[in-house]
Amino acid sequence: MHILDDLNDAQLQVVTTTEGPLLVLAGAGSGKTRSVIARTAYLIEEKHITPWNLLVVTFTNKAARELKDRLSASLNLNVRSLWIGTFHSICTRILRKESEALPYTSNFSIYDDGDQKAVINRIYKDRSIDTKKFPPNKIRNIISRSKNSLIRPEDFFQFNDSNFYSDMVEDIYQRYQSHLLKNNAMDFDDLLMNTAFLLHDNPSRLQHYQQQFRYVMIDEYQDTNYAQFRIINLIAREHQNLCVVGDDDQAIYSWRGADIKNILNFEQDYKNVKTIKLEQNYRSPKVILNLANSLIKNNSQRHSKELWSALKSDEKPLLVRTDNENGEAKFVAKEIKALQRKGADLNQCVVLYRTNAQSRVFENAFTRQNLRYQIIGGVNFYQRKEIKDILAYLRVLINPQDNESFLRIINEPGRGIGKVSQERLIKFAGDANLSLREALFAVDQVSVGTSAFAKMQNFGRQMQKWIELSNEASVFECVSQLVEDLGVIRKFEASDDPQDIARAENLKEFIAAVDEFSESFVEDHEEEPTLQDYLQTVSLQTDLDNYDTESSSIKLMTMHNVKGLEFDHVFIVGLEDGLLPHNRSLELDSALEEERRLLYVGITRTRKTLQLCYAASRRIYNNVTMTMPSRFIRELDEECYERINNSFYEFQAPGGKKTKPPVTMESEKHFHIGQRIRHVTFGDGMILNVDGKGNKAKLTISFDSGELKRIIGSYVSLI
């Protein structure tokens, strides 16, 4: 099959437009990945561009692997020389290669969220900083945004006024960066910021990468931040052969620093831009896309486009109202159980919510119904304590400056090196200008007692053994021996605590994953991986990279995590003001537009059926709060969905048998949720729930007096 076969006209234009700046507005399900693969293949096969001269940046490691695998399979092409990966993996590769131009060595550690928190906490403790006045998470976010905007600590006051608050933030930022540098470590934001400044400050290195990367493709361009924009702008500035692919209607990561202006302003940032729209959707039925289009057209920050599909479906999306969050979960569980009876694969069912806290009631409902489920975006496997402990050991083996990791492992598992001994080792290291690992090997000069000295000396001997092992043995052999020497699996297996048993299983799975990584690495690179190769891969893992596509289980995830995925059966829950759109987004039009895009992303994941759910009341902390349906519901085309009132109130049927009231279509009712009514005794109010139809309907009414009453429809009048 030729690489241009089966492409539609717009996709063909994307593939064959190779020179100059190209903006591809790729709607959801429009064959974007296929177009990127075909364009890469076309450049190599038809334009005879050397793979080394291509740079392809993907949004996830999973997408990068898929791209490599499909190129290799379709072209029988050796993809080893291709630079394909995420921004973070590409930047890491550049920084390790160019470390001589940096104040870091090539074996720098990459700190994740947990490591960053530990550094910040250490600074707070040393400076006695009030966590209420300066919330650590908020300060971390300010530091992250500063780095994404290419604002270094020394430049902080060029962009911020000096006052009590910003002075403290700048001080923490300075100390944080100094701590990372001392540990020969970078966080994720440093990978981008340091690459941008490396290219900007070193004309010869910039010229090298400009000449190497003659053709650049960026996927999910709407999710790039300023640092990423600058990196690509610098590299592509000379040749201008830059193809960016994205969809402003799916820009949902501003909270991570992404700037929608990058895609909206692309035609102003580059000259003679060609714009191609991919609007034919190959995923969703026409009725789903009509619903999605009716929603997203309410946004002003977007390029004009409208998805269409040749796929037809007899099933309209459902808008389902339940009494509360438990009713919502029961309804979804019942519907999935019915789908399962019809032969649906649980793996093709997904429940999407705005906040992680909403998962609890669905977990309970699915457990009661004996339905298997998997939460995507919970605790990452590599974030579990027992796994992070082993990773900290491995970091110390290859990066002797990593004091943060050393402090994590010095007495883990317990080896009798207490706090006082640790503090004396830290003081000695500071006075002698040594790393803690170096200080450990000079423990005879540390002022500690005889018992502590013996324990530190023994730990030093073990450390030396593992360092030698890491230099001589394979990654798998090194990790296996380390875990064996530490005895942690035996310790956990000897415990009666089920959580310890689970930790032992996690460690066994970890060792198996190392073996699997090694085999995969050899296949891709035709050489054995180093410990640094392994740690880099693990450090850049994301939730989606650990997404299990094989197990037959319902997927539970936030709408932020579902981008790039698709499912036969989609349930979007919690469609209420305050949840979606979220309370924090109600005051700014730009934030409200992003919430609308978030719902749009959720809707366009659908291959077959879609159900939108909201609850009339929801328990928040210890209070039951009456909710309002999401304002976005009013924007949906009513011709594109059916309303269902699914009430779980039980009533007594003839013969004393309890049963459920029948589901009533909204179109059959006289009364509707949100209508204003008047009652002769209680006054004016608003209908929150309708159970039944016509004048016999039981209405739940919130009266202006503050009272909540349940009243038969014949006793009220509409106003």
Side-chain angles (χ1 to χ4, degrees):
M1 181 182 289
H2 191 268
I3 54 177
L4 301 183
D5 290 347
D6 298 327
L7 297 174
N8 64 35
D9 290 342
Q11 291 170 340
L12 187 62
Q13 284 188 65
V14 171
V15 171
T16 57
T17 304
T18 59
E19 309 304 306
L22 173 64
L23 171 62
V24 181
L25 297 170
S30 61
K32 173 192 66 174
T33 302
R34 181 179 186 176
S35 301
V36 171
I37 291 169
R39 191 174 192 272
T40 307
Y42 183 80
L43 284 165
I44 296 169
E45 293 287 285
E46 301 295 329
K47 303 291 287 186
H48 306 294
I49 304 301
T50 305
W52 178 255
N53 293 131
L54 298 180
L55 173 62
V56 184
V57 183
T58 59
F59 190 62
T60 64
N61 297 302
K62 181 173 177 286
R65 285 197 302 271
E66 180 186 357
L67 189 56
K68 287 180 181 177
D69 290 345
R70 286 170 66 172
L71 276 171
S72 180
S74 62
L75 292 179
N76 196 24
L77 182 71
N78 186 335
V79 296
R80 294 186 183 97
S81 60
L82 270 171
W83 281 60
I84 298 179
T86 63
F87 267 104
H88 291 96
S89 65
I90 295 291
C91 289
T92 302
R93 190 171 172 181
I94 291 173
L95 292 170
R96 294 206 191 279
K97 186 179 176 185
E98 306 294 343
S99 60
E100 288 185 4
L102 301 168
Y104 300 86
T105 60
S106 63
N107 60 340
F108 61 82
S109 298
I110 301 174
Y111 278 8
D112 61 21
D113 283 352
D115 302 315
Q116 293 172 51
K117 288 176 183 176
V119 174
I120 293 288
N121 289 342
R122 194 175 306 283
I123 293 169
Y124 271 55
K125 183 178 179 182
D126 291 345
R127 296 271 284 111
S128 300
I129 298 172
D130 189 338
T131 57
K132 291 182 179 179
K133 290 182 179 177
F134 302 95
N137 283 338
K138 185 175 181 181
I139 303 302
R140 281 179 62 230
N141 288 336
I142 293 173
I143 292 173
S144 177
R145 286 200 303 271
S146 296
K147 291 183 179 184
N148 288 331
S149 301
L150 300 183
I151 302 172
R152 293 173 291 195
E154 58 267 32
D155 306 321
F156 190 77
F157 287 121
Q158 291 182 29
F159 300 90
N160 297 276
D161 294 331
S162 177
N163 54 48
F164 173 72
Y165 190 85
S166 61
D167 287 355
M168 179 61 79
V169 173
E170 188 268 348
D171 181 65
I172 296 170
Y173 187 9
Q174 287 274 11
R175 291 170 184 271
Y176 175 77
Q177 284 305 96
S178 296
H179 194 99
L180 262 61
L181 182 58
K182 185 178 179 181
N183 282 263
N184 191 33
M186 299 186 200
D187 62 23
F188 290 145
D189 299 317
D190 285 324
L191 298 175
L192 304 177
M193 182 174 74
N194 289 337
T195 302
F197 281 114
L198 170 76
L199 296 175
H200 181 270
D201 297 341
N202 296 272
S204 64
R205 304 321 299 150
L206 173 59
Q207 186 179 34
H208 167 79
Y209 288 106
Q210 286 174 337
Q211 291 174 351
Q212 178 180 337
F213 300 135
R214 289 170 48 208
Y215 292 85
V216 179
M217 278 186 280
I218 312 296
D219 194 10
E220 303 288 3
Y221 192 66
Q222 76 281 350
D223 295 324
T224 54
N225 59 35
Y226 180 68
Q228 292 163 331
F229 165 81
R230 285 294 293 151
I231 291 166
I232 294 306
N233 185 260
L234 286 165
I235 290 173
R237 187 169 59 193
E238 292 301 310
H239 55 67
Q240 296 276 304
N241 295 327
L242 172 61
C243 170
V244 301
V245 183
D247 182 7
D248 39 59
D249 289 337
Q250 296 185 72
I252 57 174
Y253 294 115
S254 67
W255 53 278
R256 285 203 313 218
D259 190 347
I260 193 174
K261 292 177 184 174
N262 288 349
I263 193 167
L264 293 177
N265 296 341
F266 185 80
E267 289 152 311
Q268 285 76 54
D269 293 331
Y270 296 88
K271 294 179 180 178
N272 302 317
V273 173
K274 181 170 183 177
T275 301
I276 300 172
K277 297 179 183 180
L278 300 182
E279 295 174 296
Q280 182 175 1
N281 177 285
Y282 295 92
R283 174 190 299 154
S284 306
K286 180 180 178 181
V287 67
I288 298 290
L289 297 183
N290 289 345
L291 185 76
N293 288 332
S294 70
L295 173 73
I296 203 63
K297 71 180 183 182
N298 292 280
N299 271 8
S300 59
Q301 286 192 306
R302 64 188 297 259
H303 287 92
S304 174
K305 56 189 170 302
E306 186 153 328
L307 292 183
W308 64 276
S309 174
L311 302 174
K312 292 183 171 59
S313 173
D314 295 330
E315 293 190 62
K316 279 187 176 183
L318 300 180
L319 177 62
V320 183
R321 179 219 165 273
T322 62
D323 294 323
N324 51 45
E325 73 273 20
N326 288 307
E328 184 179 56
K330 289 176 185 176
F331 172 78
V332 171
K334 182 189 72 172
E335 289 295 300
I336 293 178
K337 201 77 174 174
L339 287 168
Q340 189 182 37
R341 285 194 295 269
K342 294 176 183 177
D345 184 354
L346 290 183
N347 208 33
Q348 285 303 320
C349 299
V350 66
V351 179
L352 302 177
Y353 36 75
R354 177 61 178 83
T355 65
N356 281 305
Q358 290 169 256
S359 72
R360 181 187 60 81
V361 290
F362 293 94
E363 293 181 69
N364 292 341
F366 294 159
T367 299
R368 284 194 294 269
Q369 290 289 335
N370 198 27
L371 289 166
R372 290 186 61 188
Y373 65 88
Q374 178 191 9
I375 296 179
I376 310 299
V379 177
N380 185 308
F381 178 78
Y382 294 100
Q383 293 296 316
R384 289 174 167 83
K385 181 185 180 302
E386 62 274 14
I387 306 300
K388 285 209 71 175
D389 288 342
I390 304 302
L391 291 174
Y393 273 96
L394 300 180
R395 280 181 179 173
V396 172
L397 297 187
I398 67 168
N399 180 8
Q401 301 303 120
D402 194 343
N403 292 338
E404 204 62 43
S405 294
F406 185 92
L407 287 172
R408 183 183 183 99
I409 65 171
I410 188 172
N411 202 41
E412 183 62 53
R415 51 177 59 91
I417 302 175
K419 289 290 183 185
V420 173
S421 299
Q422 291 180 37
E423 287 170 3
R424 289 179 179 175
L425 184 70
I426 292 169
K427 184 178 186 308
F428 168 74
D431 292 342
N433 197 27
L434 298 173
S435 71
L436 292 177
R437 196 185 94 172
E438 292 167 331
L440 181 68
F441 294 137
V443 68
D444 55 330
Q445 301 177 48
V446 181
S447 177
V448 292
T450 305
S451 175
F453 172 78
K455 290 166 184 172
M456 284 189 178
Q457 194 175 48
N458 183 53
F459 182 38
R461 282 194 290 265
Q462 283 185 302
M463 183 65 69
Q464 187 60 49
K465 170 192 170 183
W466 295 326
I467 291 169
E468 292 171 2
L469 187 67
S470 69
N471 292 327
E472 299 166 0
S474 69
V475 174
F476 175 71
E477 291 169 333
C478 177
V479 173
S480 300
Q481 189 62 55
L482 172 66
V483 174
E484 174 65 24
D485 289 347
L486 292 173
V488 283
I489 292 180
R490 294 190 300 276
K491 170 191 159 190
F492 288 138
E493 286 183 333
S495 170
D496 293 328
D497 187 340
Q499 290 187 346
D500 282 342
I501 303 301
R503 292 183 181 105
E505 293 302 318
N506 287 339
L507 286 166
K508 291 177 183 177
E509 177 64 25
F510 173 71
I511 294 172
V514 173
D515 192 30
E516 186 178 305
F517 161 80
S518 298
E519 289 181 2
S520 176
F521 190 93
V522 170
E523 287 179 10
D524 289 345
H525 300 84
E526 295 184 344
E527 62 182 14
E528 286 285 339
T530 64
L531 200 50
Q532 181 172 291
D533 292 325
Y534 174 67
L535 286 173
Q536 179 170 311
T537 299
V538 171
S539 296
L540 299 176
Q541 288 277 321
T542 67
D543 293 326
L544 284 181
D545 293 321
N546 301 307
Y547 171 52
D548 183 0
T549 58
E550 301 300 323
S551 69
S552 182
S553 57
I554 304 162
K555 307 307 176 193
L556 290 163
M557 66 181 83
T558 67
M559 277 177 277
H560 283 105
N561 276 329
V562 79
K563 192 145 81 68
L565 303 177
E566 55 186 39
F567 297 87
D568 287 348
H569 309 289
V570 175
F571 297 82
I572 298 177
V573 300
L575 260 180
E576 300 139 31
D577 271 5
L579 273 180
L580 187 65
H582 197 277
N583 270 329
R584 293 194 300 267
S585 308
L586 299 180
E587 294 183 4
L588 285 175
D589 288 343
S590 59
L592 199 59
E593 290 206 355
E594 182 152 330
E595 293 289 297
R596 190 178 285 111
R597 290 194 292 267
L598 196 57
L599 178 55
Y600 175 83
V601 166
I603 291 172
T604 54
R605 301 307 95 196
T606 310
R607 281 201 293 250
K608 292 182 180 177
T609 68
L610 170 67
Q611 301 199 31
L612 308 171
C613 305
Y614 65 97
S617 67
R618 191 170 293 272
R619 184 177 294 276
I620 301 174
Y621 301 113
N622 293 324
N623 299 316
V624 174
T625 302
M626 305 309 293
T627 67
M628 288 293 292
S630 171
R631 64 195 65 193
F632 296 151
I633 292 174
R634 297 194 295 272
E635 299 173 357
L636 299 174
D637 184 349
E638 292 188 3
E639 296 296 317
C640 296
Y641 65 87
E642 291 282 355
R643 281 184 182 265
I644 288 181
N645 175 43
N646 195 280
S647 177
F648 285 91
Y649 289 119
E650 293 185 331
F651 66 93
Q652 204 76 15
K657 182 180 178 182
K658 284 187 176 180
T659 182
K660 306 281 186 188
V663 170
T664 305
M665 304 305 294
E666 195 76 13
S667 58
E668 297 176 309
K669 298 177 183 176
H670 175 63
F671 294 103
H672 302 279
I673 296 167
Q675 283 179 323
R676 297 284 296 172
I677 59 87
R678 180 164 294 151
H679 186 274
V680 292
T681 302
F682 303 113
D684 296 347
M686 185 175 70
I687 298 174
L688 299 180
N689 179 47
V690 180
D691 183 7
K693 52 187 176 180
N695 285 334
K696 295 181 180 179
K698 297 174 183 176
L699 310 177
T700 303
I701 302 170
S702 173
F703 287 98
D704 296 349
S705 62
E707 294 180 278
L708 190 68
K709 297 288 183 181
R710 207 152 182 249
I711 295 174
I712 300 297
S714 58
Y715 290 95
V716 302
S717 59
L718 297 176
I719 57 174

